[in-house]
Amino acid sequence: MKIIYHCYGRAHSSVVAAQLHLGKLPMVGPVTKEAIMAIPEFDLAEAADWGEPYLVGRDTADNEVYILGLNSQAPICIRAMLSLAGHVGQADQILLVNTLAAIRLKTRIGGFMSKKLRWHRIGKPLAASGIISSLPRLRQLVGTVQEELIRKVQDEEEEDHCHYRR
Amino acid sequence: MIYHWEGKDAVAPIAAAIHLGYFPPSVKTGKELAFLLRQQLPFRKGVGQREVGTILQLGQGRKGETVFILAVGRKPDLVLKTIKKMLPLLDEDPTNYLFINCKAYLNRNNPMEVKARPRLCGWYNAIGQLVDQVQRNL
């Protein structure tokens, strides 16, 4: 299974969500701004990287975890990805997760300053600080994704069992 | 085989229809064209905003190639890049996919003729020529 966390620029919220998913950031307890800023992919991606899924790692269930920036074209790109996956018979093998809804204005302003205005020294810490404030929502989102993955595995096992019994 | 266009008119749907053989590759009179355009071709009037980005399968060509249309909106680059980059993730070989930019072809090959001689159906015939080129290269 491929889990794709997507946001605007693939530099902030999707990066942190992927780190939470992979267990590189804790799902409970405090996280410092420095820890966020130390993530290799944090505040890194540029416009040229948009549209290209980037593999961050594999989770404990061997699911591939990707991050993806879709700029303001997210609805169109998501429809394209889902319809493509459907046509090739892989619709059940990808999970697209929008992380943009979990963050607030502070991260957006920080990201804008860092990526658009190129004020990295102000923008990056501001974005990291915004991420800290949004961490409960990001954790909740990642938790929901992980529950969904467990449910899916259970459903598949149940289906296999039914086939076996027949 | 993905014919893509902005989504507002019938360029890609007509290209797909010609490719699949529903429509002839060229027309000689306005009357003939008018008859074809009355044939309830799917997406004849383009797609709605909510369908932009959805890859629509219209059929299968003579050589077994699947024919799709895709409305990409006004900024096609990111959508097309995303699709192309997704293909390997879905265990698909990107070289098996051909993306045909209908609007770019029409702009490059026939803009003046279309405007100057609308009665000769230059617009439709230019789409026919595009499809012909695509089919020859299959």
Side-chain angles (χ1 to χ4, degrees):
Chain A
M1 183 106 188
K2 290 158 178 81
I3 297 110
I4 303 174
Y5 288 101
H6 65 88
C7 64
Y8 187 91
R10 204 196 86 178
H12 304 106
S13 60
S14 59
V15 171
V16 173
Q19 296 290 321
L20 287 167
H21 187 111
L22 293 168
K24 292 175 183 172
L25 281 176
M27 286 293 274
V28 287
V31 174
T32 62
K33 201 164 79 176
E34 287 69 31
I36 298 289
M37 286 170 66
I39 300 168
E41 295 89 8
F42 188 77
D43 201 50
L44 185 72
E46 298 291 342
D49 301 315
W50 295 346
E52 186 168 359
Y54 176 86
L55 180 64
V56 185
R58 287 173 184 271
D59 67 9
T60 48
D62 211 31
N63 298 305
E64 292 175 2
V65 178
Y66 292 84
I67 51 174
L68 174 65
L70 295 174
N71 188 240
S72 57
Q73 301 278 85
I76 297 174
C77 290
I78 288 164
R79 283 196 285 265
M81 286 190 282
L82 289 178
S83 55
L84 178 68
H87 285 302
V88 300
Q90 298 266 350
D92 61 342
Q93 287 304 308
I94 61 164
L95 184 59
L96 296 164
V97 187
N98 179 13
T99 57
L100 209 52
I103 57 152
R104 293 288 185 260
L105 196 61
K106 203 171 175 184
T107 312
R108 289 168 197 258
I109 292 172
F112 178 80
M113 289 169 99
S114 176
K115 293 283 134 195
K116 197 84 179 173
L117 304 176
R118 303 264 154 210
W119 297 348
H120 304 293
R121 291 176 75 178
I122 309 170
K124 188 174 176 180
L126 187 64
S129 169
I131 287 289
I132 300 287
S133 327
S134 304
L135 215 46
R137 281 186 296 275
L138 281 167
R139 281 170 167 165
Q140 195 181 8
L141 179 69
V142 173
T144 308
V145 170
Q146 288 172 332
E147 281 169 21
E148 180 66 20
L149 289 169
I150 292 167
R151 193 189 59 78
K152 208 162 184 173
V153 170
Q154 284 170 346
D155 285 353
E156 278 168 13
E157 280 172 358
E158 215 164 274
E159 207 170 288
D160 288 347
H161 184 63
C162 286
H163 279 296
Y164 178 72
R165 284 179 69 186
R166 277 181 207 153
Chain B
M1 182 76 46
I2 301 178
Y3 289 99
H4 63 87
W5 85 124
E6 191 180 330
K8 286 187 175 172
D9 50 31
V11 178
I14 287 175
I18 294 172
H19 189 116
L20 294 166
Y22 299 143
F23 280 10
S26 65
V27 289
K28 290 192 176 92
T29 64
K31 202 175 166 186
E32 201 181 337
L33 178 61
F35 171 77
L36 291 177
L37 296 180
R38 280 199 302 269
Q39 297 302 308
Q40 301 296 329
L41 178 72
F43 312 107
R44 149 85 178 80
K45 292 182 177 173
V47 298
Q49 198 56 40
R50 285 178 181 273
E51 282 82 46
V52 175
T54 306
I55 300 168
L56 302 158
Q57 186 175 340
L58 289 197
Q60 204 158 33
R62 284 185 193 149
K63 291 183 179 171
E65 73 279 14
T66 311
V67 177
F68 300 95
I69 58 168
L70 168 66
V72 288
R74 284 184 189 171
K75 296 176 185 171
D77 295 351
L78 186 60
V79 185
L80 293 172
K81 182 182 174 186
T82 306
I83 293 171
K84 287 171 188 171
K85 296 289 181 187
M86 274 300 288
L87 286 168
L89 262 70
L90 298 168
D91 299 326
E92 288 290 305
D93 181 356
T95 58
N96 289 337
Y97 288 79
L98 196 57
F99 292 83
I100 299 133
N101 186 343
C102 297
K103 195 182 173 186
Y105 179 87
L106 290 182
N107 288 346
R108 199 170 55 236
N109 288 280
N110 224 349
M112 296 314 290
E113 191 184 351
V114 172
K115 282 171 192 165
R117 295 190 290 164
R119 272 190 273 174
L120 290 178
C121 313
W123 175 76
Y124 181 93
N125 291 340
I127 301 173
Q129 285 165 14
L130 163 68
V131 174
D132 182 51
Q133 276 186 23
V134 169
Q135 286 178 320
R136 276 185 205 195
N137 292 328
L138 279 178

